[in-house]
Amino acid sequence: MGATIIVGGFFGDEGKGKIVAHVAHRDKPYIIARGGVGPNAGHTVEKGKEKHGVRMVPSGFIYKDAQLLIGAGVLVDPHVLLREISELGVRDRIGIDFRCPIIEEKHIVEDKGTARLADVIGTTGTGCGPANKDRVMRCARQAKEIDTLKDYTTDVALQVNEALDAGQTVTIEGSQGFGISLFYGTYPFVTSKDTSASQIAADVGVGPTRIDDVIVVYKAFPTRVGAGEFSTEMCPEEAKRLGIEEFGTVTGRPRRIGQWDGKMARYSAMVNGATQVALTGLDKLDLSCKGVTDYDKLSDSVKEFVRKAEQDIGVPITILSTGPEMSETIDLRR
Ligand code: GTP
Ligand code: IMP
Ligand code: MG
């Protein structure tokens, strides 16, 4: 097996963390590398009674035998990263690219203190936009200049490509989602970088010819945090009535919730070059499906939803998620 990229097909928070955890335990990768914007992400990973929300460390950390890498494209907040490394006990198996740009206090202050960012766009306030601005202005600092990061810096692109040359399996995780891509999302209500699979490959230094699979993750009820167009959005009362409210991992803000959007799903699969699809939150469609691990045991209405979603997207659905815990999964490729 070569490299597989996992990305979000709606507006982020599709459950990539959960799907990465499942795929990592299934594929047993040698390396799990993270692309994406930076610590604006919050991936939730649940395994048994363990529950974690990670912002910088790859969510694949839950699979204990992989080396964990953060690619040069990703903004690093040293405080967030070092705290997570210590809390998760991954010191001996994590590396970050020496070229990663650094988020400094001034970036966070600018993100939270600029009305356009904080109030109009509704950013996560984690300093990502201002840090990416400094990177484009070529005045951002890099990981190699930061003393507290020196034990972790490495050439991620070289490590990932050498692993692929040696025939090893590499899992590459993205963050955010297609609808908040700087290039393809609902501009200007977007994040500060593209979020599609090609960008995630570039983030970790892997060329497009080396990617075998792109798994795009969708949730049955898409969600969105912050401002911006959301054509299938339902009112909060409806979400409450259906019992499907959600709150952000990083900001704790309530997530806006919508109905399935087949048109958007198809378009994002196209731009991402999806080869497979993972569909999460099936238990939110029908509680009787919570924790089901056997396709035949899904209710008829959920099976019908899956069939329709596959038709909408035009790419095979290979992973179904029936709950947040890692094993609450139906893997149709097994
Ligand atoms: P970003 O990188 O920030 O975009 O996040 P993410 O895609 O990793 O998703 P995040 O963890 O922020 O949000 C997904 C939420 O849905 C988390 O609370 C998960 O625990 C939960 N989740 C994942 N899969 C399922 C599922 O199949 N059913 C239910 N009910 N919840 C799920
Ligand atoms: P920023 O990335 O913090 O600049 O925020 C820009 C927009 O992207 C805001 O609407 C955020 O809510 C959204 N956003 C950024 N990262 C994530 C994520 O990981 N999940 C969901 N929304 C996100
Ligand atoms: Mg999230």
Side-chain angles (χ1 to χ4, degrees):
M1 289 187 75
T4 298
I5 296 184
I6 298 170
V7 288
F10 284 139
F11 298 97
D13 307 322
E14 298 88 353
K16 293 178 290 296
K18 186 251 158 98
I19 297 300
V20 169
H22 166 76
V23 168
H25 284 80
R26 182 193 70 186
D27 295 352
K28 305 189 175 12
Y30 179 69
I31 287 174
I32 299 170
R34 186 185 178 300
V37 181
N40 50 351
H43 296 295
T44 313
V45 188
E46 284 189 47
K47 182 181 177 185
K49 293 202 163 21
E50 271 183 74
K51 182 173 174 178
H52 306 273
V54 284
R55 294 173 52 194
M56 291 252 56
V57 167
S59 24
F61 80 88
I62 200 85
Y63 172 66
K64 303 250 170 343
D65 293 332
Q67 206 184 338
L68 307 171
L69 298 174
I70 298 178
V74 181
L75 296 161
V76 167
D77 180 330
H79 300 292
V80 176
L81 176 68
L82 294 169
R83 190 174 56 233
E84 285 185 1
I85 289 176
S86 144
E87 280 172 10
L88 301 172
V90 295
R91 195 174 198 291
D92 297 333
R93 60 183 178 112
I94 191 162
I96 70 171
D97 197 280
F98 65 94
R99 292 155 287 204
C100 288
I102 299 298
I103 297 180
E104 298 180 61
E105 190 54 32
K106 63 179 180 188
H107 298 127
I108 297 173
V109 169
E110 188 180 344
D111 203 2
K112 289 183 174 162
T114 311
R116 175 157 178 81
L117 295 176
D119 305 332
V120 180
I121 293 172
T123 69
T124 58
T126 52
C128 289
N132 267 337
K133 181 185 74 177
D134 276 358
R135 171 197 245 175
V136 172
M137 294 303 284
R138 281 144 289 180
C139 61
R141 298 171 80 196
Q142 289 182 300
K144 66 183 179 196
E145 300 167 57
I146 309 296
D147 255 12
T148 53
L149 297 179
K150 69 176 183 312
D151 292 346
Y152 303 108
T153 48
T154 184
D155 187 334
V156 168
L158 186 66
Q159 277 191 252
V160 170
N161 282 282
E162 281 183 352
L164 291 172
D165 289 344
Q168 304 278 12
T169 298
V170 175
T171 305
I172 302 170
E173 49 176 88
S175 63
Q176 288 74 44
F178 184 79
I180 56 171
S181 159
L182 179 65
F183 292 4
Y184 299 104
T186 52
Y187 187 91
F189 301 100
V190 293
T191 189
S192 52
K193 208 169 78 176
D194 179 29
T195 55
S196 67
S198 306
Q199 174 67 66
I200 304 301
D203 284 344
V204 301
V206 177
T209 52
R210 308 213 72 173
I211 306 300
D212 296 321
D213 265 310
V214 174
I215 303 176
V216 181
V217 185
Y218 299 92
K219 64 208 295 192
F221 292 105
T223 61
R224 171 157 206 170
V225 203
E229 178 192 320
F230 189 2
S231 62
T232 65
E233 184 171 12
M234 62 179 83
C235 63
E237 294 73 34
E238 173 72 352
K240 195 165 181 172
R241 195 185 61 76
L242 294 171
I244 56 171
E245 303 132 292
E246 286 188 36
F247 297 90
T249 313
V250 176
T251 58
R253 288 183 290 180
R255 292 177 177 159
R256 298 159 63 196
I257 302 190
Q259 300 288 353
W260 173 254
D261 185 344
K263 197 169 160 218
M264 177 176 183
R266 191 178 190 90
Y267 195 87
S268 74
M270 174 185 79
V271 175
N272 278 303
T275 60
Q276 297 180 43
V277 164
L279 195 54
T280 66
L282 294 185
D283 52 306
K284 297 200 167 192
L285 288 167
D286 180 346
L287 204 52
S288 79
C289 296
K290 169 88 171 75
V292 166
T293 54
D294 177 354
Y295 179 84
D296 294 333
K297 300 213 167 100
L298 291 175
S299 65
D300 288 344
S301 62
V302 166
K303 282 183 187 154
E304 183 49 34
F305 179 86
V306 173
R307 258 194 302 274
K308 162 86 167 48
E310 190 169 73
Q311 234 172 40
D312 287 344
I313 305 170
V315 172
I317 295 177
T318 56
I319 299 172
L320 299 172
S321 174
T322 57
E325 204 274 330
M326 194 181 82
S327 62
E328 294 177 312
T329 305
I330 303 168
D331 193 320
L332 298 165
R333 281 276 163 101
R334 271 217 159 126

Short mmCIF file of all heavy atoms in Angstrom, two decimals, residues 76-83 85-86 91 94-96 102-104 141-153:
data_model
loop_
_atom_site.label_atom_id
_atom_site.label_comp_id
_atom_site.label_asym_id
_atom_site.label_seq_id
_atom_site.Cartn_x
_atom_site.Cartn_y
_atom_site.Cartn_z
N VAL A 76 2.36 26.01 12.96
CA VAL A 76 2.55 25.41 14.28
C VAL A 76 2.47 26.47 15.37
O VAL A 76 3.16 27.48 15.30
CB VAL A 76 3.90 24.67 14.35
CG1 VAL A 76 4.26 24.32 15.79
CG2 VAL A 76 3.85 23.40 13.51
N ASP A 77 1.60 26.23 16.34
CA ASP A 77 1.60 27.03 17.57
C ASP A 77 2.37 26.21 18.59
O ASP A 77 1.88 25.18 19.07
CB ASP A 77 0.16 27.28 18.03
CG ASP A 77 0.10 28.12 19.30
OD1 ASP A 77 1.06 28.04 20.11
OD2 ASP A 77 -0.88 28.86 19.49
N PRO A 78 3.61 26.64 18.93
CA PRO A 78 4.45 25.81 19.79
C PRO A 78 3.80 25.47 21.14
O PRO A 78 3.98 24.37 21.64
CB PRO A 78 5.71 26.68 20.00
CG PRO A 78 5.74 27.61 18.84
CD PRO A 78 4.31 27.87 18.50
N HIS A 79 3.02 26.42 21.69
CA HIS A 79 2.40 26.15 23.00
C HIS A 79 1.39 25.01 22.88
O HIS A 79 1.38 24.09 23.71
CB HIS A 79 1.68 27.40 23.53
CG HIS A 79 2.62 28.54 23.71
ND1 HIS A 79 3.60 28.54 24.66
CD2 HIS A 79 2.75 29.71 23.03
CE1 HIS A 79 4.29 29.68 24.59
NE2 HIS A 79 3.80 30.40 23.59
N VAL A 80 0.57 25.08 21.86
CA VAL A 80 -0.45 24.03 21.67
C VAL A 80 0.24 22.70 21.38
O VAL A 80 -0.09 21.66 21.97
CB VAL A 80 -1.41 24.41 20.52
CG1 VAL A 80 -2.41 23.29 20.26
CG2 VAL A 80 -2.13 25.71 20.81
N LEU A 81 1.22 22.73 20.50
CA LEU A 81 1.89 21.49 20.10
C LEU A 81 2.59 20.83 21.29
O LEU A 81 2.40 19.63 21.55
CB LEU A 81 2.91 21.78 18.98
CG LEU A 81 3.73 20.56 18.57
CD1 LEU A 81 2.86 19.52 17.88
CD2 LEU A 81 4.89 20.95 17.66
N LEU A 82 3.38 21.62 22.03
CA LEU A 82 4.16 21.03 23.13
C LEU A 82 3.24 20.49 24.22
O LEU A 82 3.51 19.44 24.81
CB LEU A 82 5.16 22.05 23.67
CG LEU A 82 6.27 22.43 22.66
CD1 LEU A 82 7.06 23.64 23.14
CD2 LEU A 82 7.21 21.25 22.39
N ARG A 83 2.14 21.20 24.46
CA ARG A 83 1.19 20.71 25.47
C ARG A 83 0.59 19.37 25.03
O ARG A 83 0.54 18.41 25.80
CB ARG A 83 0.08 21.75 25.68
CG ARG A 83 -0.80 21.44 26.89
CD ARG A 83 -1.80 22.55 27.17
NE ARG A 83 -2.65 22.85 26.02
CZ ARG A 83 -2.81 24.07 25.52
NH1 ARG A 83 -2.18 25.10 26.04
NH2 ARG A 83 -3.60 24.26 24.49
N ILE A 85 1.86 17.19 22.90
CA ILE A 85 2.90 16.15 22.88
C ILE A 85 3.06 15.57 24.28
O ILE A 85 3.12 14.34 24.46
CB ILE A 85 4.25 16.72 22.37
CG1 ILE A 85 4.17 17.03 20.88
CG2 ILE A 85 5.40 15.75 22.67
CD1 ILE A 85 5.43 17.69 20.29
N SER A 86 3.07 16.46 25.27
CA SER A 86 3.26 16.00 26.64
C SER A 86 2.01 15.25 27.14
O SER A 86 2.10 14.16 27.69
CB SER A 86 3.64 17.22 27.48
OG SER A 86 3.10 17.16 28.74
N ARG A 91 6.14 12.02 22.61
CA ARG A 91 7.43 12.69 22.44
C ARG A 91 8.41 11.90 21.56
O ARG A 91 9.12 12.46 20.74
CB ARG A 91 8.03 12.85 23.84
CG ARG A 91 9.16 13.79 23.93
CD ARG A 91 9.59 14.01 25.38
NE ARG A 91 10.38 15.21 25.48
CZ ARG A 91 11.61 15.33 24.97
NH1 ARG A 91 12.18 14.34 24.38
NH2 ARG A 91 12.26 16.49 25.05
N ILE A 94 7.12 11.72 17.40
CA ILE A 94 6.57 12.81 16.59
C ILE A 94 7.69 13.69 16.02
O ILE A 94 8.71 13.92 16.66
CB ILE A 94 5.57 13.67 17.39
CG1 ILE A 94 4.82 14.63 16.45
CG2 ILE A 94 6.24 14.43 18.55
CD1 ILE A 94 3.55 15.20 17.01
N GLY A 95 7.48 14.16 14.80
CA GLY A 95 8.41 15.10 14.18
C GLY A 95 7.63 16.19 13.47
O GLY A 95 6.51 15.95 13.00
N ILE A 96 8.21 17.38 13.39
CA ILE A 96 7.57 18.44 12.61
C ILE A 96 8.58 18.96 11.59
O ILE A 96 9.78 18.97 11.85
CB ILE A 96 7.04 19.60 13.49
CG1 ILE A 96 8.18 20.41 14.09
CG2 ILE A 96 6.15 19.08 14.60
CD1 ILE A 96 7.67 21.65 14.77
N ILE A 102 5.46 29.59 12.14
CA ILE A 102 5.10 29.64 13.56
C ILE A 102 4.01 30.66 13.83
O ILE A 102 4.06 31.79 13.33
CB ILE A 102 6.35 30.00 14.40
CG1 ILE A 102 7.43 28.92 14.21
CG2 ILE A 102 6.01 30.18 15.87
CD1 ILE A 102 7.01 27.53 14.67
N ILE A 103 3.02 30.25 14.63
CA ILE A 103 2.01 31.19 15.12
C ILE A 103 2.54 31.81 16.40
O ILE A 103 2.91 31.09 17.34
CB ILE A 103 0.67 30.47 15.40
CG1 ILE A 103 0.12 29.89 14.09
CG2 ILE A 103 -0.33 31.44 16.04
CD1 ILE A 103 -1.19 29.16 14.25
N GLU A 104 2.60 33.14 16.42
CA GLU A 104 3.05 33.84 17.61
C GLU A 104 1.86 34.55 18.26
O GLU A 104 0.80 34.68 17.64
CB GLU A 104 4.13 34.86 17.22
CG GLU A 104 5.37 34.18 16.62
CD GLU A 104 6.44 35.19 16.23
OE1 GLU A 104 6.92 35.90 17.12
OE2 GLU A 104 6.77 35.27 15.03
N ARG A 141 8.22 33.40 11.17
CA ARG A 141 9.35 32.58 11.63
C ARG A 141 9.06 31.12 11.30
O ARG A 141 7.91 30.74 11.06
CB ARG A 141 9.53 32.77 13.13
CG ARG A 141 9.88 34.21 13.46
CD ARG A 141 9.85 34.44 14.95
NE ARG A 141 11.09 33.96 15.59
CZ ARG A 141 11.21 33.77 16.89
NH1 ARG A 141 10.20 33.96 17.70
NH2 ARG A 141 12.36 33.35 17.39
N GLN A 142 10.10 30.32 11.28
CA GLN A 142 9.93 28.89 10.97
C GLN A 142 10.36 28.05 12.17
O GLN A 142 11.13 28.51 13.03
CB GLN A 142 10.77 28.53 9.75
CG GLN A 142 10.22 29.11 8.44
CD GLN A 142 11.06 28.67 7.25
OE1 GLN A 142 12.25 28.96 7.20
NE2 GLN A 142 10.45 28.00 6.30
N ALA A 143 9.91 26.81 12.17
CA ALA A 143 10.17 25.92 13.32
C ALA A 143 11.66 25.80 13.64
O ALA A 143 12.05 25.72 14.80
CB ALA A 143 9.58 24.54 13.03
N LYS A 144 12.50 25.84 12.61
CA LYS A 144 13.94 25.68 12.84
C LYS A 144 14.54 26.80 13.67
O LYS A 144 15.65 26.67 14.19
CB LYS A 144 14.67 25.56 11.50
CG LYS A 144 14.61 26.82 10.66
CD LYS A 144 15.30 26.63 9.32
CE LYS A 144 15.19 27.91 8.51
NZ LYS A 144 15.47 27.74 7.11
N GLU A 145 13.82 27.92 13.80
CA GLU A 145 14.34 29.06 14.58
C GLU A 145 13.88 29.02 16.04
O GLU A 145 14.25 29.89 16.82
CB GLU A 145 13.82 30.38 13.98
CG GLU A 145 14.23 30.63 12.54
CD GLU A 145 13.43 31.77 11.95
OE1 GLU A 145 13.45 32.88 12.50
OE2 GLU A 145 12.74 31.52 10.92
N ILE A 146 13.04 28.04 16.38
CA ILE A 146 12.43 28.04 17.72
C ILE A 146 13.11 26.99 18.60
O ILE A 146 13.05 25.79 18.32
CB ILE A 146 10.90 27.74 17.61
CG1 ILE A 146 10.23 28.66 16.57
CG2 ILE A 146 10.23 27.83 18.98
CD1 ILE A 146 10.25 30.14 16.89
N ASP A 147 13.75 27.45 19.67
CA ASP A 147 14.53 26.56 20.55
C ASP A 147 13.73 25.39 21.10
O ASP A 147 14.19 24.25 21.13
CB ASP A 147 15.05 27.39 21.73
CG ASP A 147 16.54 27.66 21.55
OD1 ASP A 147 17.03 27.41 20.42
OD2 ASP A 147 17.17 28.12 22.52
N THR A 148 12.49 25.70 21.54
CA THR A 148 11.70 24.66 22.22
C THR A 148 11.24 23.56 21.25
O THR A 148 10.72 22.53 21.68
CB THR A 148 10.44 25.27 22.88
OG1 THR A 148 9.74 26.02 21.88
CG2 THR A 148 10.81 26.16 24.05
N LEU A 149 11.42 23.80 19.95
CA LEU A 149 10.98 22.79 18.97
C LEU A 149 12.15 21.96 18.43
O LEU A 149 11.95 21.05 17.63
CB LEU A 149 10.25 23.47 17.80
CG LEU A 149 8.96 24.22 18.14
CD1 LEU A 149 8.37 24.87 16.88
CD2 LEU A 149 7.93 23.29 18.77
N LYS A 150 13.36 22.28 18.89
CA LYS A 150 14.53 21.70 18.19
C LYS A 150 14.62 20.17 18.27
O LYS A 150 15.14 19.54 17.36
CB LYS A 150 15.84 22.39 18.62
CG LYS A 150 16.30 22.13 20.02
CD LYS A 150 17.67 22.80 20.23
CE LYS A 150 18.24 22.52 21.59
NZ LYS A 150 17.37 22.72 22.73
N ASP A 151 14.06 19.59 19.32
CA ASP A 151 14.10 18.11 19.42
C ASP A 151 13.17 17.45 18.40
O ASP A 151 13.22 16.23 18.21
CB ASP A 151 13.65 17.66 20.81
CG ASP A 151 14.66 18.06 21.87
OD1 ASP A 151 15.79 18.43 21.49
OD2 ASP A 151 14.29 18.01 23.06
N TYR A 152 12.30 18.23 17.81
CA TYR A 152 11.26 17.62 16.96
C TYR A 152 11.43 17.91 15.48
O TYR A 152 10.74 17.31 14.66
CB TYR A 152 9.87 18.12 17.42
CG TYR A 152 9.61 17.84 18.87
CD1 TYR A 152 9.61 18.86 19.81
CD2 TYR A 152 9.41 16.54 19.31
CE1 TYR A 152 9.39 18.59 21.16
CE2 TYR A 152 9.19 16.26 20.64
CZ TYR A 152 9.19 17.29 21.57
OH TYR A 152 8.98 17.02 22.89
N THR A 153 12.30 18.85 15.12
CA THR A 153 12.32 19.25 13.72
C THR A 153 13.01 18.21 12.84
O THR A 153 14.00 17.58 13.22
CB THR A 153 13.01 20.63 13.53
OG1 THR A 153 14.23 20.61 14.25
CG2 THR A 153 12.13 21.75 13.99
#
